[in-house]
Amino acid sequence: MAEDRPKRMAIVVSKNTVDMAYPPLILASAGVAMGMEVALFFTFWGMDIIKKGKADKLKLPGMMRLFTGMMKGKMKKAGMAQLSELIKNSKELGVKFYACGATIDVMGIKKEDLIPEVDDILGAASFLEFAQDADITLFI
Amino acid sequence: MAEDRPKRMAIVVSKNTVDMAYPPLILASAGVAMGMEVALFFTFWGMDIIKKGKADKLKLPGMMRLFTGMMKGKMKKAGMAQLSELIKNSKELGVKFYACGATIDVMGIKKEDLIPEVDDILGAASFLEFAQDADITLFI
Amino acid sequence: MAEDRPKRMAIVVSKNTVDMAYPPLILASAGVAMGMEVALFFTFWGMDIIKKGKADKLKLPGMMRLFTGMMKGKMKKAGMAQLSELIKNSKELGVKFYACGATIDVMGIKKEDLIPEVDDILGAASFLEFAQDADITLFI
């Protein structure tokens, strides 16, 4: 790895519950703020996070679903931004948003269903080309 | 890291639901096709993927379980291979399949219960020896 | 990356079920035993693992919850240590235990609620500073 390039982080975002949607966006925001190159690759259930109007309606998983409102209240009280704001802010700071092409094909999602922050629709190989030179790789 | 060796990817496969069984196999297939060295380390629930006759019978998680058939239908229609085919094909391309020794001990799994594609039964230390020189490391 | 420093592993621990609490602690134990520098960053549900008196009371997820006792019995029979022992032992071998500051704020956790093995409370940026130079990065 060349030492003269910024550190790089590649995160696969595969879940659509509040608890698993925050970590990639918080890590991405912190990463770009530190000068890192960051790409988020949304796949399977994670696609819900980048569908128009869905991010702020996600729930907690399983039986915890009923406590989603309470958890969101605590998050707000602690000064945590909503998911839609985190997406907007991290995009402005340079985080790249990629949607998984295979998921789009399987689930019949249309490009116009996705939020404008999405940079591109990619296959697994394109993600791996970015990830293989990344310093941090995570599957969330 | 030496620059004259292929890129390397190490993935821990810990779940036994359709949604979490496809990503490691799709990433592994794409990785070896790009010339990467890829090893999958199956542990805990993930062991079900490499038990004889189980891969194509996996379900979606929780309440989504009921929609497994519908999802598989959509996948087939989109041209996606079955899990057993992905295993067979990625193995032929050079993906290594390792089973977690601790899980085998705890769950009382016998070697003959595992599909022939499994290369070896390994402990955590052996996995880490491969992973510490990998360019992409994921826990799925 | 300098070649004269030990290999490094950074793991985010985000779940509070038995099946997802063991892997980070087993990998961490194996890693330090091999001479690696290892840091565990506990966040969201994962925080339960480092709350006083909680680690050995964790359950399996969802409907498998009912089979927790049976699974723990099998683990014991196979010679696997309890989670509290793995924490204690891996700490003695040098694994670093960090608690996520944002989770602590949101959930109103007090420092005295945490086990003494916790080294510090950190934000995402501090975790990324460690992780960006790590050889293995995992989100569990």
Side-chain angles (χ1 to χ4, degrees):
Chain A
M1 272 176 238
E3 293 299 321
D4 55 354
R5 65 157 183 78
K7 291 287 183 177
R8 184 180 285 190
M9 177 162 57
I11 305 181
V12 181
V13 187
S14 72
K15 311 287 192 319
N16 64 353
T17 51
V18 173
D19 52 331
M20 293 297 115
Y22 268 99
L25 286 160
I26 288 173
L27 290 171
S29 301
V32 281
M34 287 164 64
M36 296 176 72
E37 289 177 12
V38 183
L40 299 178
F41 183 73
F42 294 83
T43 189
F44 227 99
W45 315 112
M47 200 66 76
D48 281 342
I49 302 172
I50 53 168
K51 279 188 195 158
K52 281 179 186 156
K54 292 269 266 179
D56 295 333
K57 290 176 186 158
L58 300 181
K59 307 287 185 190
L60 288 172
M63 293 180 303
M64 295 303 294
R65 185 181 176 91
L66 300 169
F67 300 95
T68 303
M70 197 183 76
M71 176 66 82
K72 285 188 179 174
K74 286 184 180 181
M75 285 176 158
K76 195 177 173 181
K77 207 176 156 189
M80 201 169 282
Q82 280 198 303
L83 284 167
S84 59
E85 295 172 73
L86 275 175
I87 291 170
K88 197 163 170 283
N89 295 346
S90 60
K91 172 74 180 184
E92 280 171 12
L93 288 168
V95 173
K96 296 288 182 185
F97 286 74
Y98 298 116
C100 167
T103 305
I104 282 181
D105 289 348
V106 168
M107 300 197 177
I109 298 166
K110 296 191 194 92
K111 211 182 166 175
E112 57 264 35
D113 297 334
L114 302 178
I115 57 176
E117 283 87 353
V118 174
D119 291 279
D120 210 348
I121 295 168
L122 296 183
S126 302
F127 168 73
L128 291 179
E129 275 186 36
F130 179 86
Q132 70 186 357
D133 291 321
D135 303 282
I136 299 178
T137 55
L138 301 171
F139 187 100
I140 298 183
Chain B
M1 273 178 237
E3 293 299 321
D4 54 354
R5 64 157 181 80
K7 293 285 183 178
R8 185 181 285 190
M9 177 162 58
I11 306 180
V12 181
V13 186
S14 72
K15 311 286 192 318
N16 64 353
T17 52
V18 172
D19 52 330
M20 293 297 115
Y22 267 98
L25 285 161
I26 288 173
L27 290 170
S29 300
V32 282
M34 288 164 64
M36 297 177 72
E37 289 177 12
V38 183
L40 300 178
F41 183 74
F42 294 82
T43 189
F44 226 100
W45 315 112
M47 200 67 75
D48 281 343
I49 303 171
I50 53 168
K51 279 187 195 158
K52 280 180 187 155
K54 292 269 266 180
D56 294 334
K57 290 178 185 158
L58 300 181
K59 307 287 184 189
L60 288 172
M63 292 180 305
M64 295 302 293
R65 184 180 176 91
L66 300 169
F67 299 95
T68 302
M70 198 183 76
M71 176 66 82
K72 286 188 179 175
K74 287 184 179 178
M75 285 176 159
K76 194 176 173 182
K77 207 175 156 189
M80 200 170 282
Q82 281 198 303
L83 284 166
S84 59
E85 296 172 73
L86 276 175
I87 290 169
K88 196 163 169 283
N89 295 346
S90 59
K91 171 74 180 182
E92 280 171 10
L93 288 168
V95 173
K96 295 289 180 185
F97 287 74
Y98 298 116
C100 167
T103 305
I104 282 181
D105 288 348
V106 168
M107 301 198 178
I109 299 165
K110 296 190 193 90
K111 210 181 168 179
E112 56 262 36
D113 297 334
L114 303 178
I115 57 176
E117 283 86 354
V118 174
D119 291 280
D120 209 348
I121 296 170
L122 296 183
S126 302
F127 168 72
L128 291 179
E129 273 185 39
F130 179 85
Q132 70 186 358
D133 291 321
D135 304 281
I136 299 178
T137 56
L138 302 171
F139 186 100
I140 299 184
Chain C
M1 272 176 238
E3 292 299 322
D4 55 355
R5 63 157 182 78
K7 292 286 183 177
R8 185 180 284 190
M9 176 162 58
I11 306 180
V12 181
V13 186
S14 73
K15 311 286 192 320
N16 64 354
T17 51
V18 172
D19 51 331
M20 292 298 114
Y22 268 99
L25 285 161
I26 288 173
L27 290 171
S29 301
V32 283
M34 288 164 64
M36 296 176 72
E37 289 177 12
V38 183
L40 300 178
F41 184 73
F42 294 83
T43 189
F44 227 98
W45 316 111
M47 200 67 76
D48 281 343
I49 302 171
I50 52 168
K51 280 187 194 158
K52 281 178 186 156
K54 292 270 266 180
D56 294 334
K57 290 176 185 158
L58 300 181
K59 307 286 184 191
L60 288 172
M63 293 181 303
M64 294 303 294
R65 183 180 176 91
L66 300 170
F67 299 96
T68 303
M70 198 183 75
M71 177 66 82
K72 286 188 178 174
K74 285 184 180 179
M75 285 176 157
K76 194 175 174 184
K77 208 175 154 189
M80 201 170 282
Q82 280 197 304
L83 284 167
S84 59
E85 296 172 71
L86 275 175
I87 291 170
K88 195 163 171 282
N89 296 346
S90 59
K91 171 74 179 183
E92 281 171 11
L93 288 168
V95 173
K96 295 289 180 186
F97 286 74
Y98 299 116
C100 167
T103 305
I104 282 182
D105 288 348
V106 167
M107 300 197 178
I109 298 166
K110 296 190 193 92
K111 212 181 164 177
E112 56 263 35
D113 297 334
L114 302 177
I115 57 175
E117 283 87 353
V118 174
D119 290 280
D120 210 349
I121 296 169
L122 296 183
S126 302
F127 168 72
L128 291 178
E129 274 186 38
F130 179 85
Q132 70 185 358
D133 291 322
D135 304 280
I136 299 178
T137 55
L138 302 171
F139 186 100
I140 299 184

